[in-house]
Amino acid sequence: MKERSSFNSKIGFVLAAAASAVGLGNLWRFPYLAAQHGGGSFLLIYIILSVTFGFTLMVAEISIGRKTKLSAIGAYKKLNKKFAFEGVLSMIVPMIILPYYAVINGWVLKYFAAFISGEDKAAAADGYFNAFISETGEPLVWFLICLAGAGVVVFLGVTHGIEKSGKILMPVLLVLMVIVVVFVLSRPGSLEGVKYYLVPNVKNLSFKTFLAAIGQLFYSLSISMGILISYGSYMSKKHHIESSVHQIEFFDTLVAFLAGLMIIPAVFTFSGDAALSSGPSLMFVTLPKVFASMATGRIVGTVFFLMVFFAALTSTISLMEAVVSNFIDAFHMKRSTAVLITLAYCGVLGGLASLGYGPLSGVTIFGMHILDFMDFISNSVLMPVVAIITCIFVAFVIKPGAIIEEVEAEGSVFRGKKVFSFIIKFVAPWFMILILISSIMQALGLFKL
Ligand code: TRP
């Protein structure tokens, strides 16, 4: 048995958690959801949910990990045998996310390749993206490159080194984003987009906005996937959980916010606001148009897609590491076997997700393409289920006091403890049940939002 090493500094912990938090969720998923769901209204709800629900669940999961020094499956079992299934359930979420995450990682790699090979102007043309994802072979190849690349890193067990490189690349990405934001905001017509993105409009406030925001929050902060429990298990008692959570949330939201500020006003300037509802294609369609109108657009675009690629790849790697280490723990497999099994099932599921926009585009499940359905099952069904059980577990089985005690270890002050107890007992479980029921009814077509 290897000694459980711990993060030797608080900032080390925050950066590792932030590196797994920042990825396609911030750069690709957040902007298209914000665009679809009313801009400012979405942003406002997202921020409110983040400091209440997001905060509460992150504190709970990190504390469970640090208290037990075990990852999800072992942690729940140790605290209460009857809740061992919760560990298993939370393990399924990253298993479903990983294959389709690698598919989108492949799309980013394709855009990087297009920019570096001088196809940047072509990439800005209408129809380029759709032509690409509706092909059979090409998206599959890019996806398999990303999947195999992540597989090699996880097999060699060097994920730590890779995550460190992410810490150098992250600031570069941020600087680039600021440059693109400034450029976009200096274009005529962008002000209307800024208004749409920043000013909440009551007209756009709906229950659907809530649904989308909470799903996105969990996705982006990697909540309800066992991930934070594992990170917590490596955290030292000396370090302050509450302020770490604030920092991770701040950083993660900042990146998402900038991505939105880069993409949404650009939609108004370069595509017209009808494109706001375009969904998963939004980033891929909008950004090349921005770069095409920039004097140094090819260089900026090339470096930008490279940075997004690395942010995505580090997340693909940590998702895979989560899946593989769960296999190792649960079935006492060798690392090599676990990696092979992971690659095999991801190859199949991801392959289907990739083909789902091409030859298999006729296949829909509850009206969704295969990739969208995988996103829906993991984010709108399983995550709320795991979150509800986590809340019940903390509120009524181990009691909020157990978490508070862990946060207050070694004299740390837990300023938000009243908020924490209140939300975990009285608000979160009910709210999550509502979310779950409505998203299932919506999928079944029983409920139109
Ligand atoms: N939070 C990541 C993002 O925003 C995606 C993600 C979900 C993830 N679960 C994860 C990353 C687990 C690493 C580990 O893109």
Side-chain angles (χ1 to χ4, degrees):
M1 242 344 227
K2 260 200 296 182
E3 263 290 291
R4 187 162 279 260
S5 61
S6 52
F7 290 103
N8 43 21
S9 65
K10 181 180 151 214
I11 192 73
F13 171 77
V14 170
L15 282 176
S20 109
V22 173
L24 292 169
N26 311 61
L27 301 160
W28 159 76
R29 207 170 182 275
F30 182 88
Y32 87 70
L33 287 175
Q36 255 174 357
H37 296 281
S41 315
F42 182 87
L43 187 64
L44 180 69
I45 293 177
Y46 184 85
I47 291 173
I48 294 175
L49 290 175
S50 154
V51 294
T52 51
F53 278 58
F55 170 75
T56 303
L57 280 155
M58 274 184 97
V59 167
E61 290 191 23
I62 294 175
S63 303
I64 289 175
R66 196 173 76 174
K67 203 178 183 61
T68 56
K69 294 260 170 275
L70 292 168
S71 40
I73 297 184
Y76 282 107
K77 206 166 152 189
K78 179 166 176 190
L79 292 172
N80 188 312
K81 282 227 161 48
K82 287 200 198 102
F83 276 79
F85 74 96
E86 167 78 340
V88 178
L89 213 56
S90 64
M91 169 179 153
I92 300 175
V93 182
M95 280 181 70
I96 301 178
I97 295 181
L98 174 60
Y100 82 80
Y101 202 90
V103 171
I104 297 157
N105 202 163
W107 296 354
V108 177
L109 185 56
K110 153 78 184 176
Y111 270 68
F112 166 68
F115 268 72
I116 204 164
S117 64
E119 241 189 74
D120 53 316
K121 291 284 186 295
D126 288 327
Y128 182 87
F129 179 76
N130 277 329
F132 163 62
I133 59 164
S134 54
E135 263 179 65
T136 307
E138 217 198 320
L140 266 183
V141 171
W142 294 114
F143 150 65
L144 290 172
I145 293 175
C146 294
L147 188 68
V152 171
V153 172
V154 173
F155 171 70
L156 295 176
V158 290
T159 53
H160 233 67
I162 299 291
E163 271 178 17
K164 276 210 193 94
S165 71
K167 282 165 219 161
I168 304 160
L169 299 164
M170 202 85 76
V172 182
L173 176 68
L174 272 179
V175 171
L176 268 181
M177 288 172 87
V178 172
I179 294 174
V180 180
V181 166
V182 171
F183 175 78
V184 168
L185 298 189
S186 69
R187 295 296 97 184
S190 64
L191 198 65
E192 211 186 321
V194 175
K195 237 168 68 192
Y196 177 75
Y197 184 45
L198 297 184
V199 184
N201 184 340
V202 194
K203 245 191 15 240
N204 295 332
L205 267 184
S206 71
F207 192 65
K208 207 172 171 173
T209 313
F210 260 93
L211 272 185
I214 197 121
Q216 173 58 19
L217 181 70
F218 280 32
Y219 187 93
S220 194
L221 293 171
S222 324
I223 293 173
S224 286
M225 310 180 191
I227 290 282
L228 295 170
I229 299 185
S230 307
Y231 276 128
S233 72
Y234 293 108
M235 190 185 192
S236 143
K237 296 263 185 216
K238 284 202 303 273
H239 300 138
H240 202 293
I241 294 181
E242 186 180 27
S243 64
S244 305
V245 168
H246 285 316
Q247 284 167 13
I248 298 164
E249 284 199 309
F250 175 78
F251 192 68
D252 189 69
T253 309
L254 177 71
V255 179
F257 175 75
L258 282 178
L261 196 58
M262 199 168 98
I263 292 173
I264 293 176
V267 172
F268 282 77
T269 309
F270 298 101
S271 311
D273 58 1
L276 283 176
S277 56
S278 50
S281 63
L282 191 70
M283 173 181 105
F284 296 98
V285 173
T286 312
L287 286 180
K289 291 191 201 295
V290 176
F291 297 132
S293 72
M294 258 178 160
T296 50
R298 182 170 162 204
I299 299 171
V300 178
T302 307
V303 183
F304 180 81
F305 280 113
L306 184 65
M307 294 301 118
V308 177
F309 169 70
F310 275 114
L313 190 66
T314 50
S315 289
T316 303
I317 290 169
S318 29
L319 274 163
M320 193 183 285
E321 176 62 34
V323 173
V324 164
S325 52
N326 281 329
F327 280 166
I328 296 175
D329 282 357
F331 306 110
H332 308 288
M333 280 178 186
K334 282 202 308 229
R335 176 163 282 261
S336 52
T337 319
V339 170
L340 282 180
I341 291 178
T342 306
L343 288 178
Y345 94 82
C346 286
V348 174
L349 287 187
L352 289 173
S354 176
L355 296 173
Y357 290 113
L360 298 182
S361 62
V363 181
T364 55
I365 313 161
F366 299 124
M368 291 172 249
H369 285 300
I370 301 172
L371 190 149
D372 301 63
F373 179 70
M374 290 165 80
D375 188 80
F376 170 79
I377 280 289
S378 49
N379 293 294
S380 306
V381 180
L382 276 171
M383 278 195 221
V385 171
V386 175
I388 292 166
I389 301 171
T390 306
C391 291
I392 294 175
F393 181 71
V394 172
F396 307 107
V397 180
I398 62 169
K399 304 275 160 42
I403 301 289
I404 294 172
E405 185 189 287
E406 185 60 38
V407 178
E408 289 180 338
E410 307 213 353
S412 297
V413 185
F414 186 4
R415 272 189 285 157
K417 70 178 164 193
K418 291 222 172 73
V419 177
F420 171 81
S421 306
F422 183 76
I423 293 181
I424 204 132
K425 274 203 264 188
F426 303 116
V427 190
W430 303 112
F431 192 77
M432 297 310 302
I433 289 173
L434 197 68
I435 299 263
L436 178 65
I437 295 175
S438 60
S439 61
I440 292 177
M441 297 212 324
Q442 197 195 353
L444 297 176
L446 297 172
F447 181 41
K448 248 257 71 44
L449 285 167

